[in-house]
Amino acid sequence: GGGGGGSSSSRSASVEEPTEPSFDEGLIATRSLTVTSQLGDAVGDPVAATHPEDDVTYTLSGTDDDVFTVDSQTGQIRVAEGVTLGLGQAYTVSVTATTESGTEAMISVHIEVVKDPADPYDLNGNGAIEKEEAVQAVSDYFAGIVDKETVVALLTRYFAG
């Protein structure tokens, strides 16, 4: 053990102080998922932490921990059951990595809901909604794929355009 500072007792001089796991991304991570994400879909890359000796397990907490789940072994965040995602919504969860020796570290994960690159609406990317796109949106609404606010916004764009 090294010398210097602190008020550590000399009783356990031979025992190393357990180190906590460290997240590759520091204290804050950002992830995104598309508005069309379904139950169980992965939210970006796993939120991974490393530790020199121990395996790390992950738990989820925070404001929106009911919207997502985390794989306890990999740190992969996934969409939870019964969630309706709206474009532009943002969620915040905390992922805690805990080592076998009981040390832990926490990272705050900011999750944004973004437009699906394969969005069936506004396929030509010009901001105006074509008739077929408006019809598709209404059809998707009745099929439960998009929410009312999304359809209203799309139809407003269609009739305004």
Side-chain angles (χ1 to χ4, degrees):
S7 58
S8 61
S9 72
S10 56
R11 274 177 295 170
S12 58
S14 63
V15 176
E16 291 276 324
E17 191 61 34
T19 57
E20 64 236 17
S22 64
F23 283 98
D24 308 343
E25 295 168 88
L27 298 174
I28 299 174
T30 304
R31 295 289 183 273
S32 64
L33 71 165
T34 62
V35 73
T36 55
S37 295
Q38 304 290 317
L39 164 65
D41 282 358
V43 179
D45 294 327
V47 179
T50 53
H51 188 271
E53 290 97 35
D54 290 355
D55 284 339
V56 177
T57 55
Y58 300 94
T59 52
L60 195 67
S61 61
T63 316
D64 299 308
D65 63 353
D66 55 335
V67 181
F68 303 99
T69 60
V70 70
D71 184 306
S72 63
Q73 301 305 307
T74 65
Q76 177 65 66
I77 298 174
R78 296 190 179 279
V79 178
E81 196 165 357
V83 174
T84 303
L85 301 169
L87 189 58
Q89 283 179 312
Y91 300 95
T92 303
V93 294
S94 296
V95 174
T96 302
T98 308
T99 63
E100 292 165 358
S101 56
T103 62
E104 55 184 43
M106 185 182 278
I107 188 169
S108 179
V109 185
H110 185 73
I111 301 169
E112 295 175 8
V113 181
V114 298
K115 182 174 159 72
D116 191 329
D119 192 341
Y121 320 112
D122 191 23
L123 294 174
N124 48 21
N126 64 7
I129 301 295
E130 314 282 313
K131 180 181 176 186
E132 303 77 48
E133 295 166 341
V135 170
Q136 181 68 50
V138 172
S139 169
D140 287 354
Y141 168 71
F142 286 111
I145 297 170
V146 295
D147 61 16
K148 181 179 172 186
E149 289 73 28
T150 305
V151 175
V152 169
L154 286 162
L155 291 178
T156 302
R157 278 170 59 194
Y158 171 68
F159 287 111

